[in-house]
């Protein structure tokens, strides 16, 4: 039974570029949440998707957007990358209304 | 606003001893709490959770205690092993914003547990 999978594992971009990160939820899960984890910090909630709609959003600018597909997989898009966007981006999945959220191993994004 | 914090950033324990990791939260409306373990280069791994209508919950070698009066949460690990070395995060869930199933977790900064062989 595959857990949450994320791709790519590592990514290097330059300022001003845009990036797309991908997530496949754990089998049986229909809800995907994205978190940003800066070095030495706890994860910070970006947004959550269910039924292909954004259901909740954390304190992140509109440069951060997402999408959920009919198969429950999800993408995180970040435009106009800033140096401060360098972080580990984590995807977590769950069943709607159920706990807990299960995390993938993340995508390490480095901005040069 | 809601915040979750930990009392100590690092904790060193002898192998075989019990470990206690503490966490404070500020949002009295939080109804669900969860502990995660994060090893280097990996994502957070679920350890144990507890709802606000409980004071204690036990798992395999782990116990979570919740004191709602002082808004304090702790994770106890029995007979700590080298494989327990990791960063431990507590997280809380506030009120649902758009339906019973919608929620976000608020994480603390984490406590690094080092087990001395």
């Amino acid at each position: 039974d595959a857990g949450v999978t994320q791709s790519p594992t590592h990514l290097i971009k330059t300022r001003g570029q845009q990036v797309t990160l991908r997530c496949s939820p754990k089998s049986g899960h229909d809800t995907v949440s994205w978190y940003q984890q800066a070095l030495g910090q706890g994860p910070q909630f970006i947004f959550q998707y269910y039924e292909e709609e954004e259901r909740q959003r954390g304190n992140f600018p509109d440069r951060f957007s997402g999408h959920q597909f009919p198969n429950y997989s999800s993408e995180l898009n970040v435009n106009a990358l800033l140096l401060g966007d360098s972080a580990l981006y984590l995807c977590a999945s769950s069943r709607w209304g159920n706990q807990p959220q299960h995390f993938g191993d993340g995508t390490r994004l480095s901005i040069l | 606003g809601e915040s979750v914090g930990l009392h100590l950033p690092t904790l060193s324990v002898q192998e075989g001893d019990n470990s206690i990791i503490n966490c404070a939260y500020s949002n009295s409306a939080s109804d669900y709490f969860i502990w995660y373990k994060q090893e280097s280069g990996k994502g957070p791994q679920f350890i144990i959770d507890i709802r606000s209508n409980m004071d204690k919950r036990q798992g395999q070698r782990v116990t979570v205690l919740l004191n709602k009066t002082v808004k304090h949460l702790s994770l106890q690990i029995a007979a700590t092993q080298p494989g327990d070395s990791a960063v431990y995060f507590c997280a809380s869930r506030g009120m649902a914003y758009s339906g019973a199933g919608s929620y976000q977790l608020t994480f603390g900064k984490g406590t690094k547990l080092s087990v001395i062989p």
Side-chain angles (χ1 to χ4, degrees):
Chain A
D1 181 19
V4 179
T5 58
Q6 293 186 243
S7 64
T9 54
H10 295 85
L11 204 51
I12 300 175
K13 291 286 187 179
T14 57
R15 282 180 297 174
Q17 287 188 312
Q18 69 93 26
V19 67
T20 298
L21 311 181
R22 295 176 176 81
C23 172
S24 292
K26 181 179 169 72
S27 179
H29 287 181
D30 55 14
T31 304
V32 173
S33 302
W34 287 91
Y35 291 80
Q36 180 195 66
Q37 185 176 25
L39 200 61
Q41 302 292 319
Q44 279 198 301
F45 176 78
I46 302 175
F47 43 52
Q48 182 182 74
Y49 277 84
Y50 171 67
E51 289 187 331
E52 303 178 49
E53 290 186 14
E54 183 181 295
R55 299 292 176 154
Q56 271 201 71
R57 189 179 184 91
N59 189 25
F60 279 80
D62 292 344
R63 297 187 298 108
F64 290 77
S65 63
H67 188 77
Q68 186 179 35
F69 299 94
N71 67 352
Y72 310 123
S73 67
S74 177
E75 288 182 349
L76 164 66
N77 302 292
V78 187
N79 295 322
L81 287 166
L82 303 174
L83 292 178
D85 295 332
S86 295
L88 180 67
Y89 288 85
L90 294 162
C91 170
S93 74
S94 61
R95 289 187 63 186
W96 180 255
N98 286 299
Q99 319 296 345
Q101 292 180 3
H102 293 263
F103 283 82
D105 286 338
T107 294
R108 173 69 63 187
L109 176 63
S110 299
I111 311 301
L112 302 180
Chain B
E2 181 174 355
S3 67
V4 179
L6 296 175
H7 293 307
L8 294 172
T10 62
L11 177 66
S12 295
V13 298
Q14 205 73 35
E15 181 179 356
D17 287 351
N18 296 334
S19 302
I20 299 177
I21 301 172
N22 295 305
C23 179
Y25 64 95
S26 61
N27 186 354
S28 58
S30 294
D31 65 345
Y32 171 78
F33 305 86
I34 187 167
W35 282 97
Y36 286 97
K37 170 188 180 183
Q38 188 172 27
E39 296 174 283
S40 181
K42 295 198 170 184
Q45 176 187 355
F46 168 73
I47 301 173
I48 192 167
D49 56 3
I50 188 168
R51 297 187 184 278
S52 58
N53 61 353
M54 302 171 68
D55 296 324
K56 179 180 179 179
R57 192 169 187 213
Q58 288 184 291
Q60 188 176 9
R61 284 200 307 118
V62 294
T63 300
V64 55
L65 299 177
L66 176 62
N67 185 330
K68 294 180 287 293
T69 302
V70 296
K71 291 184 281 188
H72 183 268
L73 192 71
S74 69
L75 176 70
Q76 300 178 2
I77 305 173
T80 312
Q81 303 169 358
D84 295 326
S85 294
V87 177
Y88 289 80
F89 292 98
C90 67
S92 68
R93 179 182 80 174
M95 296 294 289
Y97 299 108
S98 57
S102 178
Y103 70 96
Q104 60 175 280
L105 291 175
T106 299
F107 283 79
K109 291 186 177 180
T111 291
K112 183 176 181 180
L113 175 65
S114 298
V115 181
I116 305 165

